[in-house]
PDB file of all heavy atoms in Angstrom:
ATOM      1  N   PHE A   1      -7.873  -6.748  -6.759  1.00 77.00           N
ATOM      2  CA  PHE A   1      -6.818  -7.735  -6.933  1.00 77.00           C
ATOM      3  C   PHE A   1      -5.935  -7.396  -8.124  1.00 77.00           C
ATOM      4  O   PHE A   1      -4.714  -7.381  -8.030  1.00 77.00           O
ATOM      5  CB  PHE A   1      -7.406  -9.138  -7.088  1.00 77.00           C
ATOM      6  CG  PHE A   1      -6.351 -10.193  -7.203  1.00 77.00           C
ATOM      7  CD1 PHE A   1      -5.711 -10.663  -6.070  1.00 77.00           C
ATOM      8  CD2 PHE A   1      -5.985 -10.695  -8.431  1.00 77.00           C
ATOM      9  CE1 PHE A   1      -4.719 -11.614  -6.169  1.00 77.00           C
ATOM     10  CE2 PHE A   1      -5.005 -11.651  -8.549  1.00 77.00           C
ATOM     11  CZ  PHE A   1      -4.366 -12.118  -7.406  1.00 77.00           C
ATOM     12  N   SER A   2      -6.567  -7.096  -9.269  1.00 79.00           N
ATOM     13  CA  SER A   2      -5.771  -6.861 -10.477  1.00 79.00           C
ATOM     14  C   SER A   2      -4.981  -5.560 -10.399  1.00 79.00           C
ATOM     15  O   SER A   2      -3.858  -5.495 -10.882  1.00 79.00           O
ATOM     16  CB  SER A   2      -6.652  -6.880 -11.718  1.00 79.00           C
ATOM     17  OG  SER A   2      -7.620  -5.870 -11.646  1.00 79.00           O
ATOM     18  N   SER A   3      -5.536  -4.528  -9.790  1.00 75.00           N
ATOM     19  CA  SER A   3      -4.796  -3.269  -9.710  1.00 75.00           C
ATOM     20  C   SER A   3      -3.841  -3.248  -8.526  1.00 75.00           C
ATOM     21  O   SER A   3      -2.781  -2.643  -8.593  1.00 75.00           O
ATOM     22  CB  SER A   3      -5.758  -2.091  -9.604  1.00 75.00           C
ATOM     23  OG  SER A   3      -6.443  -2.139  -8.376  1.00 75.00           O
ATOM     24  N   GLY A   4      -4.206  -3.914  -7.436  1.00 68.00           N
ATOM     25  CA  GLY A   4      -3.368  -3.871  -6.242  1.00 68.00           C
ATOM     26  C   GLY A   4      -2.175  -4.779  -6.299  1.00 68.00           C
ATOM     27  O   GLY A   4      -1.032  -4.333  -6.208  1.00 68.00           O
ATOM     28  N   ILE A   5      -2.415  -6.065  -6.460  1.00 68.00           N
ATOM     29  CA  ILE A   5      -1.279  -6.982  -6.431  1.00 68.00           C
ATOM     30  C   ILE A   5      -1.278  -7.999  -7.551  1.00 68.00           C
ATOM     31  O   ILE A   5      -0.334  -8.784  -7.648  1.00 68.00           O
ATOM     32  CB  ILE A   5      -1.177  -7.714  -5.084  1.00 68.00           C
ATOM     33  CG1 ILE A   5      -2.302  -8.699  -4.891  1.00 68.00           C
ATOM     34  CG2 ILE A   5      -1.060  -6.769  -3.939  1.00 68.00           C
ATOM     35  CD1 ILE A   5      -2.079  -9.650  -3.746  1.00 68.00           C
ATOM     36  N   GLY A   6      -2.266  -8.009  -8.381  1.00 70.00           N
ATOM     37  CA  GLY A   6      -2.339  -9.031  -9.416  1.00 70.00           C
ATOM     38  C   GLY A   6      -1.105  -9.108 -10.286  1.00 70.00           C
ATOM     39  O   GLY A   6      -0.480 -10.155 -10.424  1.00 70.00           O
ATOM     40  N   ILE A   7      -0.712  -7.989 -10.878  1.00 68.00           N
ATOM     41  CA  ILE A   7       0.436  -8.005 -11.775  1.00 68.00           C
ATOM     42  C   ILE A   7       1.715  -8.228 -10.993  1.00 68.00           C
ATOM     43  O   ILE A   7       2.624  -8.923 -11.443  1.00 68.00           O
ATOM     44  CB  ILE A   7       0.490  -6.736 -12.643  1.00 68.00           C
ATOM     45  CG1 ILE A   7       1.497  -6.902 -13.780  1.00 68.00           C
ATOM     46  CG2 ILE A   7       0.809  -5.515 -11.809  1.00 68.00           C
ATOM     47  CD1 ILE A   7       1.109  -7.961 -14.772  1.00 68.00           C
ATOM     48  N   SER A   8       1.827  -7.652  -9.803  1.00 74.00           N
ATOM     49  CA  SER A   8       3.029  -7.849  -8.993  1.00 74.00           C
ATOM     50  C   SER A   8       3.171  -9.295  -8.565  1.00 74.00           C
ATOM     51  O   SER A   8       4.274  -9.835  -8.526  1.00 74.00           O
ATOM     52  CB  SER A   8       2.987  -6.945  -7.760  1.00 74.00           C
ATOM     53  OG  SER A   8       2.989  -5.602  -8.141  1.00 74.00           O
ATOM     54  N   LEU A   9       2.057  -9.913  -8.242  1.00 72.00           N
ATOM     55  CA  LEU A   9       2.103 -11.309  -7.833  1.00 72.00           C
ATOM     56  C   LEU A   9       2.558 -12.193  -8.987  1.00 72.00           C
ATOM     57  O   LEU A   9       3.348 -13.117  -8.800  1.00 72.00           O
ATOM     58  CB  LEU A   9       0.727 -11.755  -7.324  1.00 72.00           C
ATOM     59  CG  LEU A   9       0.657 -13.095  -6.620  1.00 72.00           C
ATOM     60  CD1 LEU A   9       1.588 -13.129  -5.436  1.00 72.00           C
ATOM     61  CD2 LEU A   9      -0.753 -13.362  -6.162  1.00 72.00           C
ATOM     62  N   LEU A  10       2.113 -11.879 -10.191  1.00 74.00           N
ATOM     63  CA  LEU A  10       2.575 -12.636 -11.352  1.00 74.00           C
ATOM     64  C   LEU A  10       4.067 -12.421 -11.578  1.00 74.00           C
ATOM     65  O   LEU A  10       4.801 -13.337 -11.923  1.00 74.00           O
ATOM     66  CB  LEU A  10       1.793 -12.234 -12.602  1.00 74.00           C
ATOM     67  CG  LEU A  10       0.355 -12.720 -12.664  1.00 74.00           C
ATOM     68  CD1 LEU A  10      -0.347 -12.136 -13.867  1.00 74.00           C
ATOM     69  CD2 LEU A  10       0.285 -14.232 -12.696  1.00 74.00           C
ATOM     70  N   TYR A  11       4.514 -11.205 -11.370  1.00 73.00           N
ATOM     71  CA  TYR A  11       5.917 -10.885 -11.614  1.00 73.00           C
ATOM     72  C   TYR A  11       6.820 -11.414 -10.503  1.00 73.00           C
ATOM     73  O   TYR A  11       7.847 -12.018 -10.765  1.00 73.00           O
ATOM     74  CB  TYR A  11       6.069  -9.366 -11.768  1.00 73.00           C
ATOM     75  CG  TYR A  11       7.467  -8.951 -12.099  1.00 73.00           C
ATOM     76  CD1 TYR A  11       7.977  -9.116 -13.386  1.00 73.00           C
ATOM     77  CD2 TYR A  11       8.292  -8.404 -11.128  1.00 73.00           C
ATOM     78  CE1 TYR A  11       9.264  -8.740 -13.693  1.00 73.00           C
ATOM     79  CE2 TYR A  11       9.585  -8.026 -11.431  1.00 73.00           C
ATOM     80  CZ  TYR A  11      10.068  -8.197 -12.712  1.00 73.00           C
ATOM     81  OH  TYR A  11      11.347  -7.832 -13.005  1.00 73.00           O
ATOM     82  N   PHE A  12       6.442 -11.152  -9.247  1.00 77.00           N
ATOM     83  CA  PHE A  12       7.284 -11.525  -8.116  1.00 77.00           C
ATOM     84  C   PHE A  12       6.906 -12.866  -7.496  1.00 77.00           C
ATOM     85  O   PHE A  12       7.581 -13.344  -6.599  1.00 77.00           O
ATOM     86  CB  PHE A  12       7.213 -10.462  -7.016  1.00 77.00           C
ATOM     87  CG  PHE A  12       7.870  -9.172  -7.390  1.00 77.00           C
ATOM     88  CD1 PHE A  12       7.113  -8.034  -7.602  1.00 77.00           C
ATOM     89  CD2 PHE A  12       9.239  -9.093  -7.520  1.00 77.00           C
ATOM     90  CE1 PHE A  12       7.724  -6.837  -7.942  1.00 77.00           C
ATOM     91  CE2 PHE A  12       9.854  -7.902  -7.864  1.00 77.00           C
ATOM     92  CZ  PHE A  12       9.093  -6.767  -8.078  1.00 77.00           C
ATOM     93  N   GLY A  13       5.812 -13.464  -7.943  1.00 76.00           N
ATOM     94  CA  GLY A  13       5.324 -14.694  -7.322  1.00 76.00           C
ATOM     95  C   GLY A  13       6.356 -15.797  -7.239  1.00 76.00           C
ATOM     96  O   GLY A  13       6.428 -16.531  -6.264  1.00 76.00           O
ATOM     97  N   ALA A  14       7.174 -15.940  -8.261  1.00 81.00           N
ATOM     98  CA  ALA A  14       8.218 -16.966  -8.247  1.00 81.00           C
ATOM     99  C   ALA A  14       9.574 -16.374  -7.886  1.00 81.00           C
ATOM    100  O   ALA A  14      10.372 -17.014  -7.213  1.00 81.00           O
ATOM    101  CB  ALA A  14       8.307 -17.634  -9.611  1.00 81.00           C
ATOM    102  N   SER A  15       9.839 -15.145  -8.297  1.00 88.00           N
ATOM    103  CA  SER A  15      11.176 -14.586  -8.080  1.00 88.00           C
ATOM    104  C   SER A  15      11.432 -14.201  -6.627  1.00 88.00           C
ATOM    105  O   SER A  15      12.558 -14.346  -6.154  1.00 88.00           O
ATOM    106  CB  SER A  15      11.412 -13.389  -8.993  1.00 88.00           C
ATOM    107  OG  SER A  15      10.590 -12.310  -8.635  1.00 88.00           O
ATOM    108  N   GLU A  16      10.408 -13.732  -5.908  1.00 88.00           N
ATOM    109  CA  GLU A  16      10.660 -13.322  -4.519  1.00 88.00           C
ATOM    110  C   GLU A  16      11.038 -14.504  -3.630  1.00 88.00           C
ATOM    111  O   GLU A  16      12.042 -14.425  -2.911  1.00 88.00           O
ATOM    112  CB  GLU A  16       9.476 -12.570  -3.925  1.00 88.00           C
ATOM    113  CG  GLU A  16       9.791 -12.094  -2.524  1.00 88.00           C
ATOM    114  CD  GLU A  16       8.711 -11.263  -1.887  1.00 88.00           C
ATOM    115  OE1 GLU A  16       7.678 -10.995  -2.519  1.00 88.00           O
ATOM    116  OE2 GLU A  16       8.907 -10.881  -0.721  1.00 88.00           O
ATOM    117  N   PRO A  17      10.290 -15.616  -3.630  1.00 90.00           N
ATOM    118  CA  PRO A  17      10.733 -16.730  -2.783  1.00 90.00           C
ATOM    119  C   PRO A  17      12.105 -17.265  -3.185  1.00 90.00           C
ATOM    120  O   PRO A  17      12.898 -17.641  -2.324  1.00 90.00           O
ATOM    121  CB  PRO A  17       9.659 -17.800  -2.960  1.00 90.00           C
ATOM    122  CG  PRO A  17       8.619 -17.245  -3.829  1.00 90.00           C
ATOM    123  CD  PRO A  17       9.017 -15.882  -4.272  1.00 90.00           C
ATOM    124  N   LEU A  18      12.401 -17.275  -4.481  1.00 92.00           N
ATOM    125  CA  LEU A  18      13.720 -17.731  -4.915  1.00 92.00           C
ATOM    126  C   LEU A  18      14.814 -16.783  -4.445  1.00 92.00           C
ATOM    127  O   LEU A  18      15.896 -17.211  -4.022  1.00 92.00           O
ATOM    128  CB  LEU A  18      13.764 -17.868  -6.438  1.00 92.00           C
ATOM    129  CG  LEU A  18      13.038 -19.077  -7.011  1.00 92.00           C
ATOM    130  CD1 LEU A  18      12.984 -19.007  -8.531  1.00 92.00           C
ATOM    131  CD2 LEU A  18      13.695 -20.363  -6.554  1.00 92.00           C
ATOM    132  N   ASP A  19      14.543 -15.495  -4.507  1.00 92.00           N
ATOM    133  CA  ASP A  19      15.521 -14.515  -4.024  1.00 92.00           C
ATOM    134  C   ASP A  19      15.779 -14.704  -2.533  1.00 92.00           C
ATOM    135  O   ASP A  19      16.931 -14.674  -2.083  1.00 92.00           O
ATOM    136  CB  ASP A  19      15.029 -13.096  -4.319  1.00 92.00           C
ATOM    137  CG  ASP A  19      16.040 -12.055  -3.874  1.00 92.00           C
ATOM    138  OD1 ASP A  19      17.234 -12.210  -4.206  1.00 92.00           O
ATOM    139  OD2 ASP A  19      15.641 -11.096  -3.197  1.00 92.00           O
ATOM    140  N   HIS A  20      14.715 -14.894  -1.751  1.00 92.00           N
ATOM    141  CA  HIS A  20      14.891 -15.115  -0.313  1.00 92.00           C
ATOM    142  C   HIS A  20      15.583 -16.452  -0.031  1.00 92.00           C
ATOM    143  O   HIS A  20      16.296 -16.582   0.950  1.00 92.00           O
ATOM    144  CB  HIS A  20      13.546 -15.068   0.414  1.00 92.00           C
ATOM    145  CG  HIS A  20      12.919 -13.705   0.422  1.00 92.00           C
ATOM    146  ND1 HIS A  20      13.587 -12.570   0.789  1.00 92.00           N
ATOM    147  CD2 HIS A  20      11.669 -13.307   0.092  1.00 92.00           C
ATOM    148  CE1 HIS A  20      12.789 -11.526   0.690  1.00 92.00           C
ATOM    149  NE2 HIS A  20      11.615 -11.952   0.265  1.00 92.00           N
ATOM    150  N   TYR A  21      15.366 -17.427  -0.882  1.00 94.00           N
ATOM    151  CA  TYR A  21      15.997 -18.737  -0.709  1.00 94.00           C
ATOM    152  C   TYR A  21      17.511 -18.650  -0.932  1.00 94.00           C
ATOM    153  O   TYR A  21      18.295 -19.210  -0.180  1.00 94.00           O
ATOM    154  CB  TYR A  21      15.373 -19.744  -1.681  1.00 94.00           C
ATOM    155  CG  TYR A  21      15.955 -21.132  -1.623  1.00 94.00           C
ATOM    156  CD1 TYR A  21      15.801 -21.933  -0.490  1.00 94.00           C
ATOM    157  CD2 TYR A  21      16.638 -21.656  -2.706  1.00 94.00           C
ATOM    158  CE1 TYR A  21      16.316 -23.211  -0.449  1.00 94.00           C
ATOM    159  CE2 TYR A  21      17.153 -22.929  -2.676  1.00 94.00           C
ATOM    160  CZ  TYR A  21      16.999 -23.710  -1.541  1.00 94.00           C
ATOM    161  OH  TYR A  21      17.506 -24.976  -1.490  1.00 94.00           O
ATOM    162  N   PHE A  22      17.909 -17.902  -1.971  1.00 95.00           N
ATOM    163  CA  PHE A  22      19.331 -17.789  -2.275  1.00 95.00           C
ATOM    164  C   PHE A  22      20.014 -16.639  -1.541  1.00 95.00           C
ATOM    165  O   PHE A  22      21.246 -16.594  -1.468  1.00 95.00           O
ATOM    166  CB  PHE A  22      19.546 -17.654  -3.786  1.00 95.00           C
ATOM    167  CG  PHE A  22      19.246 -18.923  -4.521  1.00 95.00           C
ATOM    168  CD1 PHE A  22      18.180 -18.991  -5.395  1.00 95.00           C
ATOM    169  CD2 PHE A  22      20.018 -20.059  -4.319  1.00 95.00           C
ATOM    170  CE1 PHE A  22      17.897 -20.173  -6.073  1.00 95.00           C
ATOM    171  CE2 PHE A  22      19.739 -21.240  -4.990  1.00 95.00           C
ATOM    172  CZ  PHE A  22      18.676 -21.297  -5.865  1.00 95.00           C
ATOM    173  N   ASN A  23      19.241 -15.702  -1.011  1.00 91.00           N
ATOM    174  CA  ASN A  23      19.778 -14.574  -0.232  1.00 91.00           C
ATOM    175  C   ASN A  23      18.936 -14.399   1.030  1.00 91.00           C
ATOM    176  O   ASN A  23      18.238 -13.397   1.176  1.00 91.00           O
ATOM    177  CB  ASN A  23      19.750 -13.287  -1.059  1.00 91.00           C
ATOM    178  CG  ASN A  23      20.526 -13.407  -2.337  1.00 91.00           C
ATOM    179  OD1 ASN A  23      21.727 -13.637  -2.313  1.00 91.00           O
ATOM    180  ND2 ASN A  23      19.838 -13.266  -3.461  1.00 91.00           N
ATOM    181  N   PRO A  24      18.977 -15.355   1.956  1.00 90.00           N
ATOM    182  CA  PRO A  24      18.111 -15.278   3.131  1.00 90.00           C
ATOM    183  C   PRO A  24      18.556 -14.169   4.088  1.00 90.00           C
ATOM    184  O   PRO A  24      19.740 -13.801   4.093  1.00 90.00           O
ATOM    185  CB  PRO A  24      18.283 -16.649   3.783  1.00 90.00           C
ATOM    186  CG  PRO A  24      19.637 -17.090   3.371  1.00 90.00           C
ATOM    187  CD  PRO A  24      19.850 -16.526   1.994  1.00 90.00           C
ATOM    188  N   PRO A  25      17.618 -13.640   4.874  1.00 83.00           N
ATOM    189  CA  PRO A  25      17.988 -12.601   5.827  1.00 83.00           C
ATOM    190  C   PRO A  25      18.891 -13.138   6.940  1.00 83.00           C
ATOM    191  O   PRO A  25      19.677 -12.396   7.512  1.00 83.00           O
ATOM    192  CB  PRO A  25      16.657 -12.107   6.382  1.00 83.00           C
ATOM    193  CG  PRO A  25      15.672 -13.155   6.033  1.00 83.00           C
ATOM    194  CD  PRO A  25      16.189 -13.901   4.868  1.00 83.00           C
ATOM    195  N   GLU A  26      18.774 -14.415   7.250  1.00 84.00           N
ATOM    196  CA  GLU A  26      19.603 -15.043   8.289  1.00 84.00           C
ATOM    197  C   GLU A  26      20.053 -16.412   7.806  1.00 84.00           C
ATOM    198  O   GLU A  26      19.289 -17.132   7.172  1.00 84.00           O
ATOM    199  CB  GLU A  26      18.806 -15.221   9.581  1.00 84.00           C
ATOM    200  CG  GLU A  26      18.408 -13.936  10.245  1.00 84.00           C
ATOM    201  CD  GLU A  26      17.569 -14.178  11.476  1.00 84.00           C
ATOM    202  OE1 GLU A  26      17.275 -15.344  11.800  1.00 84.00           O
ATOM    203  OE2 GLU A  26      17.195 -13.197  12.126  1.00 84.00           O
ATOM    204  N   GLY A  27      21.270 -16.791   8.137  1.00 89.00           N
ATOM    205  CA  GLY A  27      21.748 -18.130   7.844  1.00 89.00           C
ATOM    206  C   GLY A  27      22.265 -18.304   6.432  1.00 89.00           C
ATOM    207  O   GLY A  27      22.351 -17.350   5.644  1.00 89.00           O
TER     208      GLY A  27
END
């Protein structure tokens, strides 16, 4: 967990959904 996605999840955990919310693939 810590080597695979732990740090990425902490970094992107909030920014990725917000990015998709403000820049959705459709609509």
Side-chain angles (χ1 to χ4, degrees):
F1 183 80
S2 61
S3 67
I5 69 167
I7 193 65
S8 297
L9 191 57
L10 288 174
Y11 183 76
F12 291 111
S15 68
E16 183 176 358
L18 285 172
D19 182 48
H20 292 310
Y21 179 66
F22 290 113
N23 302 299
E26 294 177 359

